[in-house]
């Protein structure tokens, strides 16, 4: 019985790629140094999978930034502003598209479906000249082959690539991206031909958009694409991989009717309804790659349950046509549980990271083939039973409090217009008030202090002294820049979710459980294993300390319940909304304590609210109802004069704007600059928004420093669709990933632009 892995984490067990990338970007190492680290990581991954007995091992799932950008490079679809003149695309052009450079901004970045992974959005139009400009897929296939691994090269499928793209600037928004199919397929044919010549026997096309609600025109594009590729694919076994949700019946029919395709991969963890389609309509003689091992969470697989499912599938498709697989790429999980030497032993027994999931996949395949490892299955069953019965998982008082929430919608008593009036009387802010999103640069020295405190190398008094000095520095800088509403810079926090999880019950933490978010950006998601509550205040001391250093308003900075949920590895033994309500109650306690401590502006970030939106429209209303309700729970008890902010970043918000309004925040700051001000179009189309709003005026994920004139131009575009009395001026996101040499001039220009516009608005009266 065969086994398969959809994809694997790239960063390395100790974030080796992250540090190599940042060293290269900082010009401290060469391209050759970066390539050497990458090659060593790839070799390690391939050897690990081969050693574990995996038959179908993927190649070309490694990336220096993201796999969609790799496809853009393969197709030579470089926007003209990057000055590419043809030939093989190198690091300069590749990273300029991802990060921008001194003269031009980066391409838009957005979330990869409903995950916390990001991708660079292709910018396409009728005039793009596609050409085969990156041979990465073939190079990596040959690299694996030289190691004795006959891998399965993985490409983003042509239709999904186009559906994930956007019309370039200046191209009509109604332009049909699918119309470019005939222009990109010749490049795909070249790649396929080279892979065949190099000896490939299998090829995997990732077409995850098939799980979306697609109309017949878009579904027809899949039929057209693979019909056109059929002769080129002749001689290859072709796998079409889908993931992240059930596949709709019409899409299933389209997929299983594609010409030249010999295998289909399905997510049977998040797509359990797909099982019914397989049972009734799976085509005879085709391979089924059954994604029964969860690629998106870190819980050990219930091997007995999965084996039962696989036996059922074996009866449908045949023993020789069933392949055990992961539900999606393991990119979304941590790398290896072996590195977690400090994790609680009982909790550790409940977990499986990427390396352990590879072993699970192979163990299931061997069991199907009659070679069941009884000891492995027995240990797994014991861990499953331990988790179900452990008293540390359940807190009856928390469950009772969460259950009691369902009788109310938890709205503040006064409408937002009246609240804003009361807040303005108290805060006395100028028109177009300026603020930042929360974090300030995390310097090497600051990271050292936190690290040494965690390792008990410095005392608590020394730690508090160092953090207070950092806060004082950040406050002083903001006052010098003349920012209106200040932040304390979050020097005590390594990560906005991890910081809160460490102080809430029901959470566990890893040392090396890093997961890639984009580029070199990694996060270490907490593990929610049990019922959640707040034993004591979490941020009140630091926020009060910061407020005592200035007469200006100081924002209390919290992460909202939906974001904590979506950026954690969440328990899978109860519905997600129940866990979210528990977190909301904990944050509610913190909000009310901040208010009592004299903090008049409290920001509750919901950066990941859009990210958790189900991919299928039929499931979205229920999610938005409990997600928005969870946010309102956190602040329903505060006074009218307490201003509640929220922040959202890097997603497409236009389709949920009414839910955002329903959150009933006083002020929302939201990503805008990197997405060509897409957000503003919703207001041009007539959506009325009465609360405060701060669409980001510059992109903090790029080292580029925008000019005063450029920021003023952005503000003017906002003023064309938003009332001046509700508009705020702020960056797109927090500043922790930037350097002070970038932050100071950028914020200085931002404040100057706001003042310029205030003067112009005053003189226009």
């Amino acid at each position: 019985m065969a086994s398969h892995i959809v994809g694997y984490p790239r960063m390395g067990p100790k974030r080796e790629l992250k540090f190599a990338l940042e060293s290269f970007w900082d010009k401290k190492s060469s391209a050759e140094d970066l390539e050497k680290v990458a090659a060593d990581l790839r070799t390690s991954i391939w050897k690990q999978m081969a050693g574990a007995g995996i038959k179908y091992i993927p190649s070309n799932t490694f990336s220096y930034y993201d796999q969609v950008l790799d496809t853009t490079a393969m197709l030579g679809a470089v926007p003209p502003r990057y000055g590419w003149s043809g030939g093989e695309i190198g690091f300069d052009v590749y990273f300029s598209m991802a990060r921008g450079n001194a003269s031009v901004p980066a391409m838009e970045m957005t979330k990869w479906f409903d995950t916390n992974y990001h991708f660079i959005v292709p910018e396409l139009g009728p005039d793009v000249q596609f050409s085969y400009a990156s041979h990465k897929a073939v190079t990596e296939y040959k690299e694996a082959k030289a190691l004795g691994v006959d891998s399965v090269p993985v490409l983003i499928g042509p239709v999904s690539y186009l559906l994930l793209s956007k019309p370039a600037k200046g191209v009509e928004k109604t332009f049909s991206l699918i119309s470019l199919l005939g222009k990109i397929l010749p490049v795909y044919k070249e790649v396929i031909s080279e892979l065949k010549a190099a000896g490939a026997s299998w090829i995997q096309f990732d077409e995850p958009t098939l799980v979306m609600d697609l109309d017949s025109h878009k579904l027809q594009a899949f039929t057209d694409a693979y019909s056109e590729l059929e002769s080129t694919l002749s001689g290859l076994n072709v796998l079409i991989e889908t993931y992240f949700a059930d596949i709709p019946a019409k899409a299933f029919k389209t997929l299983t009717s594609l010409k030249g395709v010999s295998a289909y991969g399905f997510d049977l963890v998040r797509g359990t309804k797909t099982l019914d389609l397989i049972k009734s309509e799976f085509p005879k003689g085709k391979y089924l790659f059954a994604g029964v091992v969860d690629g998106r969470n870190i819980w050990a697989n219930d091997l007995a349950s999965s084996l039962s499912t696989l036996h059922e599938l074996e009866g449908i498709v045949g023993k020789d046509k069933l392949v055990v697989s992961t539900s999606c790429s393991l990119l979304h999980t941590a790398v290896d549980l072996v590195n977690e030497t400090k994790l609680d032993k009982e909790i550790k027994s409940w977990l499986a990271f990427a390396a352990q999931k590879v072993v699970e996949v192979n163990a299931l395949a061997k069991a199907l083939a009659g070679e069941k490892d009884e000891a492995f299955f027995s240990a797994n069953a014991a861990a499953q039973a331990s988790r179900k019965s452990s008293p540390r998982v359940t807190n009856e008082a928390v469950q009772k409090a969460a259950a009691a929430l369902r009788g109310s919608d938890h709205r503040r008593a006064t409408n937002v217009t009246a609240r804003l009036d009361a807040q303005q009387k108290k805060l006395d802010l100028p028109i177009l008030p300026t603020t930042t999103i929360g974090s300030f640069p995390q310097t090497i020295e600051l990271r050292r202090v936190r690290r040494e405190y965690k390792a008990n190398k410095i005392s608590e008094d020394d730690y508090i002294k160092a953090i207070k000095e950092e806060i004082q520095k950040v406050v002083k800088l903001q006052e010098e820049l003349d920012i209106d509403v200040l932040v304390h810079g979050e020097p005590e926090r390594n990560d906005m979710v991890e910081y809160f999880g460490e102080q809430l019950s029901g959470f566990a933490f890893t040392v090396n459980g890093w997961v890639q978010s984009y580029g070199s950006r990694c996060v270490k998601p907490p593990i929610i294993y049990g019922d959640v509550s707040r034993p004591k205040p979490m941020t009140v001391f630091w926020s009060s300390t910061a407020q005592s250093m200035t007469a200006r308003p100081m924002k209390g900075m919290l992460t909202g319940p939906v974001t904590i949920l979506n950026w954690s590895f969440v328990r899978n033994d109860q519905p997600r909304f129940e866990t979210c309500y528990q977190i909301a109650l904990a944050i509610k306690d913190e909000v009310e304590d901040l208010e009592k401590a004299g903090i008049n502006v409290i920001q509750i970030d919901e950066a990941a609210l859009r990210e958790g939106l189900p991919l299928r429209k039929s499931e979205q209303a229920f999610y938005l109802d409990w997600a928005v309700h969870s946010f309102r729970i956190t602040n329903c008890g505060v006074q009218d004069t307490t201003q509640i902010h929220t922040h959202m970043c890097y997603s497409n918000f236009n389709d949920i704007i009414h839910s955002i309004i329903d959150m009933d925040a006083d002020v929302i700051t939201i990503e805008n600059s990197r997405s060509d001000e897409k957000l503003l179009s919703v207001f041009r189309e007539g959506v009325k928004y009465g609360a405060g709003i701060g669409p980001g005026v510059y992109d903090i994920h790029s080292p580029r420093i925008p000019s005063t004139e450029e920021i003023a131009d952005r503000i003017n575009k906002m003023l064309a669709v938003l009332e001046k009395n509700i508009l705020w001026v702020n960056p797109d996101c927090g500043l922790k990933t930037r350097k002070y040499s970038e932050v100071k001039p950028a914020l200085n220009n931002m404040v100057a632009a706001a003042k310029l516009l205030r003067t112009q608005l005053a003189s226009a009266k």
Side-chain angles (χ1 to χ4, degrees):
M1 191 61 61
S3 51
H4 166 252
I5 304 297
V6 177
Y8 201 80
R10 309 144 180 168
M11 278 291 130
K14 300 287 178 69
R15 295 181 291 163
E16 291 88 342
L17 182 61
K18 169 191 170 64
F19 299 122
L21 281 167
E22 291 173 354
S23 177
F24 175 69
W25 292 336
D26 289 342
K27 297 184 168 51
K28 293 176 182 174
S29 61
S30 67
E32 290 75 19
D33 294 330
L34 175 57
E35 288 166 344
K36 170 75 166 59
V37 171
D40 288 347
L41 285 170
R42 288 193 295 270
T43 297
S44 171
I45 290 165
W46 288 325
K47 284 185 174 179
Q48 178 192 348
M49 284 195 254
I54 301 298
K55 180 175 180 181
Y56 299 114
I57 296 172
S59 61
N60 198 40
T61 59
F62 180 88
S63 179
Y64 288 104
Y65 214 87
D66 83 76
Q67 68 269 33
V68 180
L69 183 62
D70 292 349
T71 310
T72 295
M74 181 185 86
L75 295 169
V78 181
R81 66 181 177 274
Y82 299 107
W84 177 64
S85 54
E88 188 80 3
I89 289 173
F91 283 153
D92 279 358
V93 172
Y94 181 87
F95 288 128
S96 289
M97 289 192 287
R99 307 177 71 238
N101 58 44
S103 56
V104 289
M107 294 165 71
E108 180 184 351
M109 182 167 68
T110 197
K111 295 288 173 74
W112 177 245
F113 294 84
D114 58 347
T115 74
N116 187 29
Y117 182 69
H118 299 66
F119 71 96
I120 301 297
V121 182
E123 301 173 11
L124 305 179
D127 299 328
V128 176
Q129 299 297 310
F130 297 98
S131 63
Y132 187 11
S134 170
H135 292 65
K136 176 178 174 294
V138 179
T139 301
E140 289 187 16
Y141 173 77
K142 290 178 178 176
E143 192 181 315
K145 195 170 185 184
L147 295 167
V149 176
D150 186 13
S151 66
V152 179
V154 179
L155 301 175
I156 297 289
V159 183
S160 287
Y161 176 77
L162 292 176
L163 292 177
L164 292 168
S165 303
K166 70 172 186 177
K169 207 164 189 178
V171 175
E172 287 291 326
K173 298 300 176 193
T174 55
F175 173 71
S176 170
L177 294 158
I178 288 295
S179 69
L180 296 173
L181 195 56
K183 292 187 175 183
I184 69 169
L185 289 179
V187 180
Y188 273 89
K189 287 180 181 180
E190 287 188 73
V191 180
I192 294 162
S193 297
E194 283 198 8
L195 287 167
K196 281 170 69 175
S201 56
W202 278 83
I203 187 168
Q204 174 179 321
F205 292 99
D206 282 8
E207 293 280 15
T209 55
L210 276 164
V211 305
M212 309 286 281
D213 295 306
L214 302 180
D215 59 32
S216 56
H217 173 66
K218 288 173 181 170
L219 288 174
Q220 181 63 38
F222 289 93
T223 303
D224 295 344
Y226 289 93
S227 294
E228 178 64 25
L229 292 174
E230 184 183 10
S231 60
T232 312
L233 289 167
S234 177
L236 283 171
N237 287 294
V238 179
L239 164 63
I240 307 289
E241 187 68 52
T242 68
Y243 35 77
F244 296 152
D246 286 300
I247 185 165
K250 284 185 179 177
F252 183 86
K253 191 174 177 69
T254 298
L255 171 61
T256 53
S257 303
L258 294 178
K259 292 183 177 179
V261 176
S262 39
Y264 314 101
F266 299 108
D267 182 338
L268 300 181
V269 176
R270 288 182 174 237
T272 50
K273 293 176 189 169
T274 302
L275 280 169
D276 294 332
L277 293 171
I278 293 169
K279 289 172 189 174
S280 61
E281 299 179 43
F282 196 80
K284 283 187 166 45
K286 301 290 187 179
Y287 288 89
L288 170 62
F289 281 60
V292 293
V293 172
D294 193 350
R296 285 186 58 173
N297 215 329
I298 43 66
W299 303 107
N301 188 271
D302 184 339
L303 295 178
S305 175
S306 292
L307 189 58
S308 173
T309 299
L310 290 165
H311 276 307
E312 190 177 2
L313 293 171
E314 189 179 52
I316 297 163
V317 305
K319 195 182 250 318
D320 62 331
K321 296 296 182 185
L322 182 62
V323 179
V324 182
S325 185
T326 53
S327 65
C328 62
S329 173
L330 297 175
L331 171 71
H332 309 289
T333 65
V335 179
D336 196 341
L337 199 53
V338 167
N339 297 316
E340 300 307 324
T341 55
K342 296 181 180 177
L343 199 55
D344 176 273
K345 191 176 178 183
E346 183 184 31
I347 293 173
K348 190 174 180 178
S349 74
W350 303 341
L351 308 178
F353 290 0
Q356 288 69 47
K357 289 175 187 292
V358 169
V359 174
E360 288 179 338
V361 166
N362 198 54
L364 287 165
K366 287 179 76 175
L368 270 180
E371 302 171 33
K372 186 177 179 184
D373 184 335
E374 295 292 351
F376 188 73
F377 271 72
S378 177
N380 175 267
Q384 298 292 325
S386 154
R387 187 174 165 218
K388 282 176 185 167
S389 62
S390 175
R392 68 201 305 174
V393 169
T394 308
N395 181 325
E396 286 186 20
V398 170
Q399 293 202 346
K400 192 173 178 182
L405 292 170
R406 293 174 204 172
S408 165
D409 63 3
H410 298 90
R411 293 183 186 276
R412 291 170 77 178
T414 312
N415 70 45
V416 69
T417 305
R419 297 198 310 262
L420 287 173
D421 286 345
Q423 291 155 16
Q424 179 57 16
K425 283 174 187 164
K426 188 165 192 172
L427 299 172
D428 192 26
L429 298 172
I431 200 142
L432 305 180
T434 54
T435 191
T436 65
I437 304 305
S439 61
F440 264 66
Q442 300 263 318
T443 62
I444 292 170
E445 174 62 18
L446 184 55
R447 292 179 193 277
R448 182 191 63 76
V449 167
R450 281 202 307 263
R451 191 167 57 247
E452 290 186 353
Y453 177 59
K454 277 197 167 184
N456 295 316
K457 290 182 179 177
I458 61 173
S459 68
E460 185 171 17
D461 286 347
D462 287 342
Y463 171 73
I464 289 172
K465 181 172 178 286
I467 297 299
K468 280 184 175 179
E469 286 172 0
E470 184 69 19
I471 293 172
Q472 182 72 69
K473 183 176 84 173
V474 169
V475 170
K476 185 170 181 286
L477 172 61
Q478 291 172 93
E479 288 184 330
E480 287 170 356
L481 290 166
D482 204 17
I483 291 173
D484 300 304
V485 175
L486 310 190
V487 297
H488 76 292
E490 304 176 11
E492 78 284 14
R493 307 177 194 181
N494 179 60
D495 177 87
M496 63 188 281
V497 173
E498 184 179 8
Y499 177 78
F500 289 97
E502 283 177 337
Q503 300 182 77
L504 295 169
S505 63
F507 282 75
F509 292 87
T510 63
V511 175
N512 289 299
W514 297 99
V515 177
Q516 185 183 21
S517 181
Y518 60 87
S520 68
R521 170 90 171 121
C522 298
V523 293
K524 192 144 54 81
I527 298 164
I528 305 177
Y529 67 84
D531 291 333
V532 177
S533 61
R534 185 196 74 145
K536 61 182 181 180
M538 302 179 286
T539 66
V540 176
F541 172 75
W542 294 119
S543 292
S544 302
T545 298
Q547 183 63 82
S548 72
M549 296 175 179
T550 181
R552 300 183 186 214
M554 174 65 64
K555 283 198 276 194
M557 300 300 304
L558 305 175
T559 302
V562 185
T563 296
I564 291 176
L565 183 89
N566 285 336
W567 285 358
S568 298
F569 289 125
V570 183
R571 57 190 292 191
N572 58 0
D573 59 346
Q574 71 176 16
R576 288 172 73 87
F577 71 83
E578 290 186 13
T579 303
C580 199
Y581 283 155
Q582 292 177 2
I583 302 168
L585 285 172
I587 300 299
K588 180 176 187 286
D589 290 344
E590 187 72 12
V591 168
E592 290 170 6
D593 280 349
L594 281 168
E595 184 182 58
K596 285 174 195 162
I599 304 300
N600 297 315
V601 182
I602 302 170
Q603 182 170 308
I604 308 165
D605 284 344
E606 283 296 13
L609 186 134
R610 174 62 173 76
E611 175 186 310
L613 189 70
L615 301 177
R616 304 287 289 284
K617 288 187 175 69
S618 60
E619 300 166 13
Q620 291 176 358
F622 177 66
Y623 166 78
L624 289 168
D625 180 63
W626 64 254
V628 169
H629 186 189
S630 295
F631 177 82
R632 289 200 306 262
I633 287 166
T634 65
N635 60 86
C636 62
V638 300
Q639 299 170 35
D640 287 355
T641 50
T642 298
Q643 190 166 84
I644 299 295
H645 288 225
T646 191
H647 170 67
M648 296 180 179
C649 57
Y650 295 100
S651 282
N652 182 4
F653 301 107
N654 291 23
D655 56 348
I656 63 162
I657 191 67
H658 293 289
S659 294
I660 291 173
I661 292 169
D662 200 37
M663 290 170 74
D664 199 28
D666 297 310
V667 179
I668 178 169
T669 52
I670 199 161
E671 185 275 325
N672 172 67
S673 67
R674 191 160 181 173
S675 55
D676 290 333
E677 291 143 356
K678 196 190 301 176
L679 172 72
L680 298 185
S681 66
V682 81
F683 301 112
R684 292 189 195 101
E685 290 158 12
V687 171
K688 297 298 178 192
Y689 192 74
I693 183 165
V697 296
Y698 79 90
D699 174 24
I700 64 86
H701 289 94
S702 169
R704 184 173 167 273
I705 297 162
S707 67
T708 299
E709 293 73 24
E710 182 183 330
I711 295 174
D713 180 57
R714 286 191 188 278
I715 298 170
N716 269 321
K717 286 179 181 174
M718 297 170 192
L719 287 167
V721 292
L722 293 164
E723 296 294 329
K724 63 179 185 285
N725 62 320
I726 65 168
L727 188 61
W728 285 64
V729 177
N730 47 262
D732 264 349
C733 208
L735 303 169
K736 68 185 291 184
T737 61
R738 300 268 55 89
K739 299 170 184 165
Y740 273 105
S741 59
E742 299 158 347
V743 165
K744 288 178 184 177
L747 290 180
N748 186 66
N749 292 349
M750 182 187 84
V751 173
K755 288 180 176 179
L756 176 68
L757 268 294
R758 286 174 197 158
T759 303
Q760 290 177 4
L761 289 168
S763 62
K765 282 183 181 177

